[in-house]
Amino acid sequence: MRQLQSFIIKEFYHILRDSRTLMILLIMPIVQIMLFGYAITTDIKSTPTAVLDHSFNTETARMIEQLQASEYFELYGEVRSIDDVHLLFRQGKIRMAVIVSPTQEVQLLADATNPNEATSLVQYATAIINSSGMQPLAGVNVQLLYNPQLKGAYNFVPGIMGLLLILICAMMTSVGIVREKETGTMEVLLVSPMNPFYIVLAKATPYLLISLVNIATILLLSRYLLGVPMMGSVALVVGLALLYALVALCLGLLISTMVATQQAAMLISGIVLMLPVIMLSGMIFPIENMPWLLRVIAHIVPAKWFITAVKDVMIKGLTAAEIWHELSILTAMVLGLAAFSVKRFKIRL
Amino acid sequence: MVICRNINKTYGEVVALRDINLHVRKGELFGLIGPDGAGKTSLFRILVTLILPDSGQARVNGLDVTTSLKEIRRSVGYMPGRFSLYQDLSVEENLKFFATVFNTSVEANYELIRDIYVQIEPFRKRRAGKLSGGMKQKLALCCALIHSPEILFLDEPTTGVDPVSRVEFWDMLDRLRQRGITIMVSTPYMDEASRCNRIALMRDGRALSVDTPENIRASFSRPLYALRSAGMYALLNDLRGYEGAHSCYAFGDAHHLTLGSEADGAEAELRSWLDRKGYADAQLSRIEPCIEDCFMELARQ
């Protein structure tokens, strides 16, 4: 025990003395939340919108007022004919148009050169129009559950957690272990009575702690800065994050058994681990739309299960019993990866 | 303490060790002498259980290196070739860390390292990465000694260290040997061979000769001469074409030449050949062989 303790203290020395890396690790979640929350936002704000009203009655006027009042749309002057609408679209002066027929039927036109934006615009407008007491569009009463304002933050906060935990736990752990190999200290440590798994355990501990700090940072920022609700239990979300961090640590350990240099470790964790989290976890691209091969790969990406589960708990307020599927898959991944990497971990050079 | 029988090791196409047979006795300071690539590090790694030999048997302290991994790792001290301490930890922290790794404390074995540690103690708060080469090696030696091992394996401890620190380092090894610690050390510097009780001259994975430095020098049978002249490079080329020469190579500021025969006339013949070739100024002196001469001779065979 004393060996392990002094080994962990040594690891903290390494991390604390490399203050630049430590700062990056601690500030990264803040930067990412800010970036996704404010800069790379897919949320819609003040979209220039034209209204062509042929009905001229109070209900329509109220609807137009509500569109105007929402932060999503900004009405574009007066439009008199459908030709004007098309002209404005071509000139890029508007991205959506609302056309109300004399019989009070509403038609929405959206600029679909950016398909995602167009879809969102239609959804927003539909929601507003339906709530304004007009007859429901296309006869379908649409109701958006859990995230009626279609806030992007609800989606990317779990995504950022999935990304950062992989980055810190897998990349830093694998680089940390490989560094001992590269500098030759691993040779000395192996030729000692110490249990080699203490090396792994000691490497993982500080990064697990940093991940906890990061999880707290992300959750606090998303709750109080971005206004993402926490419908389920905080403890369950933190527990999920820890479970996922364990998967990442095992992946890091596995990588460290396969490569000889820190650069290779960094490259592999970057490409083999980070890319799937971004591309295949459903964080950005919906998994359902992928070709079957990618869909299969997506199902073995731990982040996919983690992100789904976190969304379920944070946004839908599900309980542990209701996300048992994701929990058991992540647990199985931890056990499988741990067993495999322990088997691969060499007690010789 | 250490027995090697027909040890072989290859890395793919590269043969690192061929049929190594060694016997290091208890309380001996044993040197593996040879240039880079001779197989010294591979042999060390086999002995400290870091790699497995392809064939052959090795025992350390009576324990088989392939099966008694744990026991051997408890009883040996190992200092790898590269500086293997934590550069961002201070001298003190490194020492403390390695003491706990070996389940002991600095205080418990301070007696053993005191002579060495007092030299680096003034810098105990300094990060190991900021020490000079000689200081680093002293610290690494302290760390390898901290658990009072019965046998010490030092892989090229003096490489990259200044000449004064090298002498100091060998003095320290001498004192450790006097305390009864068996030491196996490797070095590419032939002049350090005389500091060992016995040596193995190694080249291309083979042990060319295993004996005391004195016996190895005594077994050198050919007449050996040192030559100096104004045109050293031309002289070397010409000497290599000399019929009576057995071998000739540049050796520091002189050329070392061995003659094919011990016959009385051989030296006179060489002098007249030198005169004829226009090296009237050449200084020729018969010398005693050093370890490097022996190494060159053995490597030729």
Side-chain angles (χ1 to χ4, degrees):
Chain A
M1 254 348 255
R2 217 165 59 86
Q3 288 175 325
L4 183 60
Q5 190 190 339
S6 95
F7 208 132
I8 293 175
I9 292 172
K10 186 211 87 175
E11 291 306 322
F12 273 107
Y13 280 146
H14 286 324
I15 293 172
L16 293 175
R17 285 178 189 176
D18 185 3
S19 50
R20 227 179 309 166
T21 309
L22 182 64
M23 287 312 275
I24 292 174
L25 291 182
L26 292 179
I27 291 176
M28 198 157 46
I30 303 175
V31 172
Q32 291 217 346
I33 287 276
M34 296 292 179
L35 271 180
F36 278 92
Y38 294 104
I40 325 178
T41 175
T42 50
D43 289 358
I44 298 197
K45 269 199 190 108
S46 313
T47 308
T49 306
V51 178
L52 180 59
D53 183 9
H54 294 298
S55 69
F56 304 105
N57 66 22
T58 47
E59 275 176 12
T60 313
R62 196 164 66 236
M63 177 201 84
I64 295 172
E65 246 168 55
Q66 282 187 4
L67 277 178
Q68 173 81 309
S70 82
E71 57 178 339
Y72 310 121
F73 304 104
E74 198 158 296
L75 292 195
Y76 184 88
E78 251 178 62
V79 190
R80 293 178 191 283
S81 70
I82 191 75
D83 291 337
D84 283 354
V85 171
H86 284 294
L87 185 67
L88 288 170
F89 267 122
R90 274 200 297 276
Q91 290 171 336
K93 289 191 175 147
I94 55 168
R95 291 213 291 281
M96 197 176 76
V98 183
I99 299 162
V100 187
S101 74
T103 55
Q104 260 191 297
E105 277 169 349
V106 181
Q107 190 189 13
L108 290 176
L109 296 180
D111 178 352
T113 46
N114 180 343
N116 288 336
E117 193 196 44
T119 317
S120 312
L121 283 174
V122 170
Q123 277 169 331
Y124 285 130
T126 311
I128 292 170
I129 293 164
N130 285 347
S131 66
S132 73
M134 299 280 287
Q135 47 186 315
L137 281 172
V140 180
N141 192 341
V142 181
Q143 205 186 343
L144 296 167
L145 293 174
Y146 309 119
N147 185 5
Q149 292 158 295
L150 290 174
K151 278 196 173 173
Y154 288 31
N155 184 39
F156 73 73
V157 165
I160 289 178
M161 283 169 78
L163 199 62
L164 277 182
L165 291 181
I166 278 275
L167 189 75
I168 290 164
C169 292
M171 190 183 273
M172 298 310 285
T173 310
S174 64
V175 168
I177 296 175
V178 173
R179 189 190 298 134
E180 301 252 357
K181 282 199 213 171
E182 232 180 31
T183 55
T185 40
M186 191 60 112
E187 272 182 70
V188 184
L189 293 178
L190 286 176
V191 186
S192 78
M194 193 175 60
N195 186 337
F197 298 112
Y198 282 6
I199 302 174
V200 176
L201 222 55
K203 287 275 168 205
T205 312
Y207 293 119
L208 207 57
L209 211 78
I210 291 180
S211 322
L212 266 175
V213 174
N214 284 340
I215 293 168
T217 315
I218 294 173
L219 288 180
L220 286 174
L221 284 179
S222 67
R223 179 75 191 85
Y224 295 105
L225 197 70
L226 302 176
V228 178
M230 174 58 82
M231 305 303 287
S233 114
V234 180
L236 185 55
V237 172
V238 174
L240 256 172
L242 281 178
L243 185 61
Y244 176 66
L246 280 178
V247 178
L249 286 172
C250 293
L251 281 172
L253 175 56
L254 189 62
I255 290 171
S256 75
T257 64
M258 296 190 292
V259 300
T261 65
Q262 295 180 60
Q263 270 180 334
M266 198 111 68
L267 218 64
I268 293 202
S269 4
I271 292 169
V272 179
L273 297 184
M274 296 262 289
L275 269 184
V277 175
I278 299 171
M279 309 301 251
L280 297 178
S281 66
M283 177 187 172
I284 297 178
F285 308 111
I287 295 172
E288 294 73 25
N289 297 355
M290 293 174 187
W292 70 270
L293 183 65
L294 286 182
R295 224 164 36 225
V296 170
I297 299 175
H299 278 74
I300 56 169
V301 173
K304 185 235 164 198
W305 303 103
F306 170 71
I307 292 174
T308 311
V310 168
K311 275 191 207 164
D312 283 351
V313 178
M314 271 179 82
I315 316 227
K316 293 192 196 167
L318 298 194
T319 61
E322 287 167 301
I323 55 161
W324 69 271
H325 188 58
E326 285 81 8
L327 281 175
S328 43
I329 287 177
L330 286 174
T331 311
M333 282 180 170
V334 171
L335 297 177
L337 284 169
F340 187 58
S341 40
V342 161
K343 211 179 144 213
R344 274 198 59 107
F345 189 85
K346 278 177 263 169
I347 51 169
R348 297 179 198 273
L349 274 185
Chain B
M1 282 300 270
V2 177
I3 301 167
C4 297
R5 277 199 205 106
N6 304 318
I7 297 277
N8 281 287
K9 177 75 191 174
T10 54
Y11 300 103
E13 296 284 294
V14 184
V15 180
L17 295 170
R18 298 173 215 242
D19 279 326
I20 298 290
N21 284 288
L22 286 180
H23 182 196
V24 179
R25 299 183 191 115
K26 196 169 167 57
E28 200 170 46
L29 175 51
F30 189 95
L32 289 180
I33 320 275
D36 292 348
K40 306 186 296 288
T41 300
S42 296
L43 186 54
F44 271 135
R45 286 183 171 169
I46 288 173
L47 292 175
V48 297
T49 73
L50 279 175
I51 56 176
L52 291 169
D54 295 340
S55 66
Q57 258 209 333
R59 288 179 171 275
V60 171
N61 220 353
L63 301 160
D64 192 297
V65 293
T66 53
T67 53
S68 307
L69 182 130
K70 276 189 183 159
E71 293 80 355
I72 291 178
R73 289 182 178 188
R74 247 196 295 278
S75 63
V76 304
Y78 173 49
M79 186 173 146
R82 285 170 295 176
F83 179 61
S84 294
L85 298 171
Y86 297 101
Q87 314 265 349
D88 52 346
L89 260 53
S90 72
V91 169
E92 222 173 12
E93 287 160 352
N94 265 298
L95 195 60
K96 259 191 196 151
F97 173 70
F98 282 103
T100 29
V101 161
F102 283 93
N103 266 329
T104 176
S105 66
V106 178
E107 294 73 30
N109 289 304
Y110 187 70
E111 194 47 37
L112 189 62
I113 59 162
R114 193 178 55 197
D115 286 351
I116 309 162
Y117 190 62
V118 288
Q119 301 176 44
I120 47 175
E121 205 167 9
F123 312 103
R124 64 180 198 280
K125 298 278 179 208
R126 193 179 286 187
R127 304 251 167 110
K130 297 221 157 48
L131 293 175
S132 69
M135 292 284 183
K136 280 180 185 175
Q137 294 312 79
K138 282 172 194 164
L139 175 57
L141 184 60
C142 284
C143 292
L145 273 173
I146 196 66
H147 59 298
S148 175
E150 290 169 63
I151 174 161
L152 205 51
F153 293 94
L154 310 173
D155 193 5
E156 299 202 5
T158 54
T159 300
V161 174
D162 66 274
V164 177
S165 299
R166 273 167 56 189
V167 172
E168 277 177 17
F169 198 87
W170 281 100
D171 289 343
M172 287 186 285
L173 295 189
D174 227 24
R175 282 197 292 276
L176 290 172
R177 188 190 54 82
Q178 282 161 19
R179 284 169 171 265
I181 300 175
T182 310
I183 303 171
M184 205 168 164
V185 59
S186 73
T187 174
Y189 302 118
M190 304 274 167
D191 56 321
E192 290 178 342
S194 60
R195 306 291 309 247
C196 304
N197 298 122
R198 288 195 314 135
I199 59 171
L201 289 178
M202 289 188 68
R203 189 188 149 146
D204 296 335
R206 280 182 223 276
L208 303 172
S209 173
V210 183
D211 209 332
T212 63
E214 297 74 29
N215 285 348
I216 288 178
R217 280 209 301 275
S219 67
F220 193 90
S221 54
R222 294 177 189 281
L224 178 70
Y225 295 89
L227 281 101
R228 287 184 187 79
S229 161
M232 289 296 275
Y233 183 69
L235 178 64
L236 184 64
N237 282 335
D238 282 342
L239 280 171
R240 284 186 171 152
Y242 176 55
E243 272 176 18
H246 169 68
S247 70
C248 182
Y249 45 89
F251 196 104
D253 61 343
H255 296 325
H256 282 194
L257 173 78
T258 54
L259 293 180
S261 81
E262 184 69 276
D264 287 341
E267 190 179 328
E269 202 175 291
L270 173 62
R271 279 189 194 282
S272 70
W273 179 84
L274 283 168
D275 282 344
R276 262 183 284 132
K277 282 280 177 184
Y279 298 102
D281 65 323
Q283 295 171 298
L284 179 68
S285 52
R286 177 95 189 238
I287 52 168
E288 285 300 310
C290 63
I291 289 294
E292 192 161 352
D293 294 309
C294 302
F295 177 82
M296 297 302 279
E297 181 60 27
L298 287 163
R300 280 175 64 90
Q301 290 166 7

